[in-house]
Amino acid sequence: AYLKLLELQDAQKKANEMLKRATGSILSEIEDLINGKMKKFNDFLFKEKRMAPYLKFNEYNSYHFETPHDTGTGTNYKGLILYDLAMLELTNLPAIAHDSSLLKNVGDSSVDGIIKIYSNYKKQIFIAFDKHLSYTDDVAKIIEENTVLTLYANGGELYGYSWNKEQKLDDENEL
């Protein structure tokens, strides 16, 4: 029984080592695909070469994501957007959504490029976007041609009124 136990422990150790190597190889392949797409998108955004965001898996349950030598807020948001675009392209994910708070923190020239990338996708991308006329004419045109819903204050809210305004109730029992 003792010899059988040693044999099984050795087999388990070898199986764990094989699993670790296979997992590392698969994660490395995934890293390469994602990082390649993010670099492609990043290169599209800038005339001169800039560091692209990159993803590094430490283990199957741990990762590191950054843009080397730039930890600024705008760069971090740009990295997140480029990651989402890479995931949209590399997976069966049918759509992504980006709120205006992401895009507001990214530099104007990068936003111009991101909007152009968005416009070339066959899959759906939903964005909340403010002040489209503050950007280039190309971006304003792309936004205007693809706008499905426009919201604005004083009656142009999603349900016709602002949710954060106090309403005077006709009946004290109504909410």
Side-chain angles (χ1 to χ4, degrees):
Y2 177 73
L3 292 176
K4 187 66 169 174
L5 174 66
L6 291 178
E7 183 183 321
L8 291 172
Q9 285 175 336
D10 186 52
Q12 181 183 21
K13 183 179 175 183
K14 288 178 182 176
N16 285 339
E17 289 172 1
M18 287 176 48
L19 176 62
K20 188 173 183 176
R21 280 194 307 273
T23 301
S25 175
I26 291 166
L27 291 176
S28 179
E29 188 177 324
I30 292 169
E31 278 177 16
D32 290 345
L33 288 169
I34 293 170
N35 290 333
K37 290 295 178 187
M38 289 192 301
K39 180 165 180 19
K40 178 183 119 182
F41 293 137
N42 196 73
D43 289 349
F44 178 81
L45 298 180
F46 303 105
K47 290 179 182 174
E48 56 188 32
K49 295 287 184 200
R50 294 210 186 165
M51 297 292 250
Y54 80 93
L55 175 68
K56 172 69 178 149
F57 290 108
N58 303 320
E59 295 287 332
Y60 71 92
N61 61 353
S62 174
Y63 68 92
H64 182 76
F65 184 79
E66 72 170 350
T67 299
H69 310 296
D70 191 346
T71 59
T73 302
T75 298
N76 288 337
Y77 283 125
K78 177 197 63 140
L80 174 63
I81 291 167
L82 297 184
Y83 173 81
D84 287 349
L85 289 168
M87 293 286 80
L88 186 64
E89 188 165 318
L90 293 170
T91 68
N92 291 327
L93 193 65
I96 58 172
H98 288 152
D99 189 54
S100 59
S101 60
L102 284 175
L103 294 163
K104 282 181 185 178
N105 287 291
V106 176
D108 289 353
S109 64
S110 294
V111 171
D112 284 354
I114 289 167
I115 296 298
K116 289 174 183 172
I117 292 171
Y118 286 162
S119 71
N120 289 320
Y121 262 87
K122 301 295 181 225
K123 293 183 181 182
Q124 289 189 316
I125 300 174
F126 301 94
I127 63 171
F129 196 71
D130 298 331
K131 302 176 184 170
H132 69 282
L133 297 176
S134 300
Y135 297 93
T136 64
D137 291 340
D138 289 344
V139 168
K141 183 179 178 188
I142 291 168
I143 295 297
E144 288 171 7
E145 289 175 351
N146 292 284
T147 296
V148 174
L149 176 66
T150 302
L151 304 175
Y152 53 90
N154 300 318
E157 295 86 0
L158 186 57
Y159 293 99
Y161 63 92
S162 179
W163 291 60
N164 65 350
K165 290 184 182 176
E166 287 189 25
Q167 302 287 326
K168 183 176 179 178
L169 301 175
D170 293 335
D171 182 1
E172 289 183 24
N173 294 329
E174 288 186 37
L175 293 179

